[in-house]
């Protein structure tokens, strides 16, 4: 008996032009966390603070000497303000963003 395979198309509701897509690059993974600063951005949704602070704590325990910073995005339903993005980018070598619902 043949089994049917279902297909699903997933659409991203955020509009990005093809030109914008071509400009994007993927940042290389850090080779080592020693001496690095890792940022944690909480999106403000219910439970995100527990998740992000939990991951932050695990990173601090697992990688002694790594510096961490925590930010709370001001409005959960809006993109992070450019000033916040710039501050995080300026302050950190890598960033974890918590998206919870």
């Amino acid at each position: 008996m043949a089994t049917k395979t279902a297909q699903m198309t997933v659409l991203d509701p955020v509009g990005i032009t093809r030109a914008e897509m071509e400009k994007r690059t993927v940042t290389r993974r850090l080779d080592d966390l020693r001496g690095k600063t890792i940022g944690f951005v909480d999106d403000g949704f219910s439970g995100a603070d527990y998740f992000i602070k939990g991951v932050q704590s695990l990173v601090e325990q697992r990688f002694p000497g790594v510096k961490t910073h925590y930010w709370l995005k001001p409005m959960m339903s809006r993109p992070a303000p450019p000033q916040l993005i710039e501050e995080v980018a300026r302050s950190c070598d890598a960033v974890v963003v918590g998206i919870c619902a």
Side-chain angles (χ1 to χ4, degrees), residues 6 17 26 31 34 36-37 40-41 45 48-49 51-52 57-59 61 71 73 78 80 88 90 92:
T17 66
V26 176
D31 294 329
R34 282 180 280 193
K36 300 293 194 262
T37 301
F40 295 86
V41 179
F45 281 90
D49 56 335
F51 172 74
I52 284 294
S57 177
L58 288 172
V59 167
Q61 291 169 24
W71 286 272
K73 196 174 78 166
R78 306 272 180 176
V88 172
R90 213 177 26 254
C92 302

Side-chain angles (χ1 to χ4, degrees), residues 41-55:
V41 179
D42 178 344
D43 69 359
F45 281 90
S46 177
D49 56 335
Y50 295 108
F51 172 74
I52 284 294
K53 289 178 181 177
V55 174

Side-chain angles (χ1 to χ4, degrees), residues 40-99:
F40 295 86
V41 179
D42 178 344
D43 69 359
F45 281 90
S46 177
D49 56 335
Y50 295 108
F51 172 74
I52 284 294
K53 289 178 181 177
V55 174
Q56 180 181 13
S57 177
L58 288 172
V59 167
E60 291 169 347
Q61 291 169 24
R62 175 91 162 77
F63 303 98
V66 169
K67 297 177 195 149
T68 64
H69 292 287
Y70 172 88
W71 286 272
L72 173 61
K73 196 174 78 166
M75 293 187 73
M76 69 178 176
S77 61
R78 306 272 180 176
Q83 306 92 302
L84 176 62
I85 294 171
E86 290 168 14
E87 179 182 348
V88 172
R90 213 177 26 254
S91 306
C92 302
D93 298 295
V95 180
V96 175
V97 179
I99 301 175

